[in-house]
Amino acid sequence: YCAMKNTGEVVFPQSDVVKDSIKHARNYIVNAQKNCEKFTKYCMNIFDKNETLGIYVPFRVINTLAVGKLPVRGIRFFDDNCLLWGTFYPGIDVAVENRKALIDDPTDHVLVMSRTFGENLAQELRQDLPSKVNINMISEVLK
């Protein structure tokens, strides 16, 4: 929320600030495109081998799946939030599962989408999953 009052004074932003903001926006777009390409390549390498991919904390990948026009065949979603279990994200026919479902029926690969807790989640999953499961963090995929 905000409150504003017209003072009648016309203020123009400094051209340096505008130029810097435009530069940051363009860099963001370029980096986002590069990251989408890296993510798509990572997924397609898995799909081309007919292997499965579990995405841990799936909310963070929904837009990228759409932008990359990636198929969801072979993808499963996992989250520790019990309120999400059994739910779906709009337009994606993949139910969110819990960690026990992953442990009981592991995917070939797991991608942890959290930069904040990614290392902790990956360590926990490495203890719970067979060593043949390839676990990556999104920071590794986007290097």
Side-chain angles (χ1 to χ4, degrees):
Y1 300 102
C2 76
M4 297 168 47
K5 177 179 162 186
N6 186 350
T7 64
E9 181 182 354
V10 177
V11 178
F12 294 98
Q14 296 176 0
S15 64
D16 302 9
V17 173
V18 173
K19 287 178 185 175
D20 194 45
S21 295
I22 291 170
K23 178 182 170 188
H24 284 293
R26 286 186 177 141
N27 286 340
Y28 176 84
I29 292 168
V30 168
N31 288 332
Q33 289 171 333
K34 286 179 185 176
N35 286 340
C36 281
E37 289 169 9
K38 289 176 186 178
F39 179 80
T40 298
K41 182 178 178 182
Y42 170 82
C43 290
M44 292 311 294
N45 284 336
I46 291 170
F47 301 153
D48 288 345
K49 294 184 268 184
N50 289 320
E51 295 178 342
T52 55
L53 172 62
I55 298 180
Y56 222 93
V57 194
F59 179 71
R60 298 189 176 129
V61 77
I62 301 306
N63 289 336
T64 307
L65 289 173
V67 169
K69 296 182 174 90
L70 289 166
V72 291
R73 70 172 180 355
I75 290 182
R76 291 170 60 200
F77 293 156
F78 301 95
D79 204 297
D80 289 332
N81 183 345
C82 63
L83 297 175
L84 296 176
W85 300 342
T87 64
F88 296 83
Y89 291 99
I92 300 177
D93 192 23
V94 177
V96 177
E97 302 176 64
N98 61 28
R99 186 183 298 214
K100 183 176 180 338
L102 175 61
I103 293 167
D104 291 347
D105 182 20
T107 54
D108 299 306
H109 302 266
V110 174
L111 178 60
V112 179
M113 291 298 297
S114 174
R115 291 181 187 266
T116 308
F117 303 107
E119 186 59 47
N120 290 345
L121 283 171
Q123 283 180 342
E124 290 172 10
L125 292 171
R126 284 186 184 105
Q127 292 172 1
D128 294 335
L129 294 171
S131 59
K132 68 178 181 169
V133 175
N134 183 20
I135 300 171
N136 289 109
M137 293 178 296
I138 190 61
S139 56
E140 297 168 329
V141 171
L142 301 181
K143 275 198 241 179

